[in-house]
């Protein structure tokens, strides 16, 4: 909240939770652009506070990451962008870990705003707040379905699309996507709808109903950003998912972190024992890929394989791609 409100004040983080946790909190706060004076573990004495304050009373360097350096787009701008076809898709390949064979693409939306490319983190929250997300989801689904149907006849090449929690609860969503698939002669089973762990668990009862409806239609469901939420395993296994996407925060750290390796291995094992495929996103180096193969992860997605690319570049990539050695 402080970061969102562009808080300029210096912040001291204090708690009795222990230094590892305090350190994590400090990093998070600094990464969101807050000015962190330091951490103060509890319990502390008045003398310690005095010493701390006198150490930190001078000017503190500005944070490395500016909170917001560009003006936020407004609702009007986004609405106009949607109406004028300024939302375009980038496609990022997903390949099989074992041999690198192409398994599909994830559609990632970009806003081409007068030649400036704006990334989704800057406007998806706005779209969700203002209700424009339903229109956005529709545009993305339509374009993604058409692109796949036009360029990839192979049944094993799938298309993953991100669905916001808000759009998920729109009852007509299933019908709309189904119609779009039919109009393009695309088997619904080639479409994977990605829902984040946190959004699926917000109202597990209702999610179960909505997700089951979609699954019955034939779409596949993927649980995105897995490992970042606080879901109960019991709840998760009740939901009709076909894929688990291991969050990139763990995958990016595979080469360096023992903890991340343990987390990734157990998520991949959990998925396998439930009969689900696992996709690791954020594969940035050969070490990560090697580890994923070792633990039997199904698919890999990340800069090491390819970045998200606009249509032409993605098609050229697919023509050239020879798999992994
Ligand atoms: P996400 O679904 O977790 O998408 C993966 C993000 O990780 C993408 O960022 C992608 O570019 C990035 N990524 C892929 N490989 C790597 C890698 O090797 N290293 C690193 N560091 N990053 C990698 P992007 O495109 O900026 O999307 C951000 C988020 O915006 C997405 O996260 C998704 O939650 C949301 N989003 C994107 N498109 C849509 C959409 O059409 N609808 C909705 N509702 N949300 C969308
Ligand atoms: Ca995703
Ligand atoms: Ca993700």
């Amino acid at each position: 909240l402080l970061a969102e409100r562009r808080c300029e004040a210096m912040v001291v983080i204090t708690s009795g939770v222990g230094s590892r946790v305090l350190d994590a909190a400090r990093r998070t706060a600094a990464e969101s652009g807050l000015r962190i004076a330091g951490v103060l573990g509890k319990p502390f004495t008045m003398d310690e506070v005095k010493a701390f304050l006198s150490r930190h009373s001078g000017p503190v360097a500005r944070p490395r990451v500016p909170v917001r350096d560009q003006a936020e787009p407004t609702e009007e701008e986004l609405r106009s962008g949607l109406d004028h076809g300024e939302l375009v898709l980038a496609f990022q390949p997903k390949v099989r870990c074992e041999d690198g064979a192409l398994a599909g693409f994830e559609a990632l939306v970009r806003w081409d705003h007068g030649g400036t490319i704006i990334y989704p983190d800057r406007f998806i929250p706005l779209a969700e707040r203002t209700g424009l997300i339903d229109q956005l989801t529709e545009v993305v689904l339509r374009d993604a379905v058409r692109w796949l149907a036009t360029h990839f006849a192979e049944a094993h090449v799938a298309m993953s699309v991100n669905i916001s929690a808000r759009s998920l609860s729109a009852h007509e969503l299933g019908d709309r996507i189904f119609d779009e698939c039919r109009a393009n002669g695309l088997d619904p089973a080639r479409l994977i709808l990605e829902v984040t762990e946190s959004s699926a668990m917000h109202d597990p009862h209702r999610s179960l109903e909505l997700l089951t409806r979609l699954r019955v239609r034939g779409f596949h469901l993927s649980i995105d950003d897995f490992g970042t939420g606080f879901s109960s395993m019991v709840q998760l296994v009740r939901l009709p998912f076909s894929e688990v996407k291991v969050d990139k925060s763990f995958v990016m750290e595979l080469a360096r972190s023992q903890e991340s390796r343990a987390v990734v291995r157990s998520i991949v094992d959990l998925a396998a024992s439930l009969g689900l495929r696992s996709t690791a996103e954020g594969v940035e180096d050969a070490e990560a890929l090697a580890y994923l193969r070792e633990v039997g992860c199904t698919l890999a997605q990340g800069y090491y394989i390819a970045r998200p690319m606009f249509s032409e570049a993605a098609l050229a990539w697919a023509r050239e791609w020879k798999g992994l050695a």
Side-chain angles (χ1 to χ4, degrees), residues 106 162 194 196 223-226 245-248 281:
E106 177 174 1
N162 295 285
E194 296 194 359
T196 60
I223 189 151
D224 204 353
D225 300 346
F226 192 82
K245 278 194 108 166
V246 187
D247 190 63
K248 58 179 173 295
E281 63 176 20

Side-chain angles (χ1 to χ4, degrees), residues 76-309:
E76 294 329 309
E77 286 171 319
L78 181 55
R79 191 186 305 279
S80 146
L82 273 163
D83 291 342
H84 293 93
E86 291 179 6
L87 284 113
V88 284
L89 295 182
F91 302 98
Q92 187 177 34
K94 288 168 68 176
V95 304
R96 282 208 310 238
C97 287
E98 46 170 332
D99 58 2
L102 177 66
F105 294 90
E106 177 174 1
L108 295 157
V109 69
R110 272 85 182 102
W111 180 3
D112 184 349
H113 191 40
T116 311
I117 301 296
I118 308 180
Y119 286 82
D121 290 337
R122 296 252 334 273
F123 61 87
I124 294 288
L126 172 70
E128 286 174 337
R129 257 194 334 269
T130 55
L132 288 170
I133 192 69
D134 291 336
Q135 195 186 338
L136 186 147
T137 304
E138 240 187 279
V139 168
V140 168
L141 274 163
R142 187 196 63 205
D143 292 355
V145 164
R146 289 184 186 171
W147 190 79
L148 188 71
T150 308
H151 300 290
F152 294 87
E154 309 92 313
H156 66 273
V157 180
M159 177 62 71
S160 300
V161 175
N162 295 285
I163 307 289
S164 287
R166 240 201 79 125
S167 303
L168 184 66
S169 53
H171 259 279
E172 333 79 75
L173 180 76
D175 300 337
R176 292 263 177 77
I177 323 173
F178 193 76
D179 291 346
E180 196 61 54
C181 286
R182 199 164 39 193
N184 288 278
L186 192 83
D187 178 359
R190 292 180 62 193
L191 206 56
I192 305 172
L193 308 176
E194 296 194 359
V195 179
T196 60
E197 176 183 358
S198 47
S199 68
M201 300 318 293
H202 179 64
D203 181 352
H205 182 74
R206 186 153 166 71
S207 294
L208 178 61
E209 183 203 322
L210 293 163
L211 292 171
T212 305
R213 262 175 213 277
L214 292 170
R215 195 66 196 85
V216 167
R217 289 284 204 181
F219 308 116
H220 283 284
L221 299 172
S222 172
I223 189 151
D224 204 353
D225 300 346
F226 192 82
T228 57
F230 304 93
S231 320
S232 125
M233 291 285 178
V234 185
Q235 302 270 38
L236 275 179
V237 302
R238 290 179 55 234
L239 296 171
F241 287 103
S242 7
E243 179 191 63
V244 169
K245 278 194 108 166
V246 187
D247 190 63
K248 58 179 173 295
S249 60
F250 306 112
V251 180
M252 286 161 56
E253 295 286 305
L254 279 178
R256 289 171 295 280
S257 155
Q258 179 72 48
E259 284 94 349
S260 293
R261 285 195 289 275
V263 170
V264 170
R265 180 189 289 272
S266 41
I267 296 177
V268 169
D269 285 349
L270 172 73
S273 53
L274 293 170
L276 312 183
R277 296 194 316 183
S278 43
T279 293
E281 63 176 20
V283 179
E284 293 190 344
D285 45 53
E287 290 89 336
L289 184 68
Y291 185 77
L292 293 166
R293 279 178 174 163
E294 184 190 321
V295 300
C297 182
T298 328
L299 304 176
Q301 173 182 350
Y303 296 168
Y304 182 66
I305 295 135
R307 295 197 169 240
M309 298 164 283

